[in-house]
Amino acid sequence: MNLAGKTALVTGATDGVGRLVAHELARGGARVLLHGRDAQKLAAVRDEIRAACGNDQLETLRADLAALGEVRALAADVIDATDQLDILINNAGVGSKSAHGAGRETSRDGHELRFAVNYLAHFLLTELLLPTIQRSAPARIVNVSSAGSIRSTSTTSC
């Protein structure tokens, strides 16, 4: 797929699906804005993708999606970095297990952590970037989810 001239933002680009998608977008020739929480991991992934794909159009954007203020800052950074956003991949997420086994965790804003990161952050980011995405039409927004974020109350199996 030829993505030359296209700009994409991938949230959660330092691991898993986000990392794979970022590689593929870069391999296709897109300018890729890589988002993550950890600046060192972002730099390592950027360098890894650059070496593997030969694409120098890679930029890193650090933000913790558990804080809506940082989501707003991320959107502002994207808007400052580009006037074109052809692809938004809302991929970053928090899994169902508590990091410390403490049960319910909250975001910096006081919301349940998984709801804050997996839903509120992506909704806000998309809303803030929507004018840029609309100007880039035809553009795409892809929301990534996992079966781990869905709880079943059924006791039957397939």
Side-chain angles (χ1 to χ4, degrees):
M1 178 182 312
N2 183 359
L3 297 171
K6 303 291 184 187
T7 299
L9 168 62
V10 180
T11 68
T14 59
D15 291 302
V17 171
R19 189 176 185 162
L20 176 66
V21 168
H23 268 271
E24 292 304 313
L25 290 167
R27 182 173 285 114
R31 175 184 178 201
V32 184
L33 308 176
L34 305 162
H35 159 264
R37 287 181 300 175
D38 183 302
Q40 289 179 330
K41 285 178 80 173
L42 276 167
V45 168
R46 179 199 58 216
D47 295 345
E48 169 191 308
I49 294 172
R50 185 175 288 147
C53 303
N55 185 332
D56 288 330
Q57 300 180 87
L58 303 166
E59 298 169 44
T60 61
L61 300 166
R62 200 217 64 76
D64 184 349
L65 300 187
L68 296 178
E70 289 198 33
V71 175
R72 287 182 181 91
L74 173 61
D77 289 344
V78 171
I79 291 166
D80 287 345
T82 187
D83 58 355
Q84 173 183 329
L85 188 58
D86 303 286
I87 305 166
L88 169 58
I89 308 287
N90 286 316
N91 166 74
V94 176
S96 60
K97 285 191 174 184
S98 172
H100 309 326
R104 185 177 194 271
E105 297 174 289
T106 57
S107 70
R108 282 193 250 163
D109 302 304
H111 303 290
E112 195 284 323
L113 184 64
R114 279 138 203 87
F115 179 64
V117 174
N118 299 351
Y119 178 76
L120 292 178
H122 296 300
F123 181 87
L124 178 59
L125 182 63
T126 302
E127 182 73 18
L128 295 170
L129 294 176
L130 200 53
T132 304
I133 294 166
Q134 289 172 325
R135 281 193 311 272
S136 305
R140 298 291 181 260
I141 300 168
V142 178
N143 295 312
V144 179
S145 184
S146 73
S149 66
I150 302 169
R151 293 189 181 206
S152 173
T153 56
S154 172
T155 57
T156 61
S157 60
C158 297

